[in-house]
Amino acid sequence: MTNFSKNKLDLVSENSLYTTPTNIETIKYSFTIFSRFLKSNMKILELGPAEGLMTEELIKLDPNLTVIEAASKFCRDLSAKFPSIKVYQNLFEEVKMTEKFDAIILGHVLEHVENPLNILNKIKSWLQPNGVVCCAVPNARSIHRQIAVEMGLITSIFEKSEKDIHHGHLRIYTPELLNSEFIGNNYSIISRGGYWLKPISDGQIEKSWTNEMIQAFMKLGEQYPDIAGEIYIIAKVNEKDQRV
């Protein structure tokens, strides 16, 4: 990535849309998924924490959590809000990490980076033996995207929305693409699936849905991962490819 990319991230941090009510619940539910594969006292690394919505949950497991974040505003706010964590301000591509971790969290990271295969390959050396990677990304086949195509609002499920463009999304994943990137980097898939069966836009949901409705649809998405709004993978590095 270039200096322009760093500048873009700083601009996004000054006008972030991550803390909308629906997005907050989405991140919290992704932690619910991830926590099934995490334990207390694990040494955890979080990539791209932004405002720290996931961080707030992860520090319950690792009070000395390490995070990597490129946007200077986010880094300042994270350090102030969570004084016990270690904050590295840098692009993932430029970080040199000697520590090893029991878990690495990629919550909505891979859709932002220029080369996700390079990131997945790089973080292998940051994992302890039997360490896990917990990854979540938006799903191109989400039912709300398919409905938008049928209504003529977008021409393809891969068309980026204004919010996608604002946040610098470079791609929209299918379950097959996400799986292939992990398999292609010699990861073993422990679990994969989806959550958040999202039939309409965030704005429409926030006008009329109760929190109980949102939680029900988050959970229902686990039964229909192919058309869920979010997809995830939990993986570990194949033993033959584990770096020392």
Side-chain angles (χ1 to χ4, degrees):
M1 281 192 172
T2 64
N3 287 332
F4 173 78
S5 298
K6 293 181 179 179
N7 293 337
K8 168 65 176 175
L9 289 169
D10 280 331
L11 288 173
V12 169
S13 71
E14 296 293 339
N15 183 28
S16 174
L17 304 177
Y18 294 129
T19 54
T20 60
T22 304
N23 197 65
I24 289 172
E25 296 307 319
T26 304
I27 293 172
K28 287 182 177 180
Y29 201 86
S30 67
F31 175 75
T32 297
I33 300 285
F34 293 168
S35 66
R36 298 167 189 169
F37 305 91
L38 304 174
K39 298 177 182 178
S40 295
N41 300 317
M42 271 187 163
K43 189 174 182 180
I44 300 174
L45 170 66
E46 182 186 10
L47 272 62
E51 288 96 345
L53 297 172
M54 175 71 75
T55 311
E56 192 168 345
E57 303 297 332
L58 293 171
I59 60 171
K60 298 172 185 176
L61 301 174
D62 180 5
N64 303 121
L65 176 74
T66 299
V67 304
I68 302 173
E69 171 59 57
S72 55
K73 180 182 186 301
F74 285 154
C75 287
R76 291 193 302 270
D77 292 348
L78 288 163
S79 295
K81 187 175 182 180
F82 309 109
S84 70
I85 72 173
K86 290 180 280 187
V87 180
Y88 290 87
Q89 184 180 348
N90 212 334
L91 295 170
F92 312 135
E93 294 87 344
E94 297 176 0
V95 172
K96 295 181 180 179
M97 185 71 66
T98 57
E99 296 178 78
K100 291 185 180 290
F101 300 88
D102 301 304
I104 297 177
I105 310 300
L106 304 175
H108 285 227
V109 165
L110 295 185
E111 70 268 29
H112 291 269
V113 299
E114 290 182 354
N115 195 324
L117 292 175
N118 283 353
I119 298 298
L120 289 175
N121 186 56
K122 183 173 187 175
I123 65 175
K124 289 178 186 177
S125 63
W126 302 349
L127 278 171
Q128 293 279 13
N130 295 316
V132 296
V133 175
C134 300
C135 174
V137 296
N139 182 14
R141 286 204 294 269
S142 172
I143 190 170
H144 84 286
R145 287 184 179 272
Q146 296 194 55
I147 290 170
V149 172
E150 292 297 326
M151 293 176 65
L153 300 176
I154 55 177
T155 59
S156 162
I157 58 174
F158 299 102
E159 183 176 329
K160 298 182 184 71
S161 68
E162 290 184 8
K163 187 183 289 188
D164 289 323
I165 294 168
H166 173 80
H167 283 131
H169 292 180
L170 300 180
R171 65 193 58 79
I172 305 171
Y173 277 89
T174 61
E176 294 81 10
L177 177 59
L178 185 62
N179 188 64
S180 69
E181 290 187 347
F182 275 86
I183 296 297
N185 258 298
N186 291 320
Y187 284 88
S188 295
I189 308 301
I190 299 172
S191 180
R192 57 185 294 224
Y195 58 98
W196 188 206
L197 192 64
K198 178 183 172 183
I200 52 179
S201 71
D202 287 352
Q204 291 169 313
I205 288 167
E206 288 162 8
K207 286 180 180 178
S208 58
W209 285 30
T210 64
N211 186 259
E212 289 78 11
M213 292 172 67
I214 292 173
Q215 295 307 315
F217 276 82
M218 289 285 177
K219 186 174 182 180
L220 193 60
E222 293 199 57
Q223 298 184 38
Y224 302 97
D226 191 62
I227 58 171
E230 307 278 319
I231 50 177
Y232 71 87
I233 274 182
I234 313 297
K236 65 179 182 179
V237 180
N238 287 331
E239 289 185 12
K240 64 180 181 180
D241 200 39
Q242 182 74 54
R243 300 178 187 179
V244 296

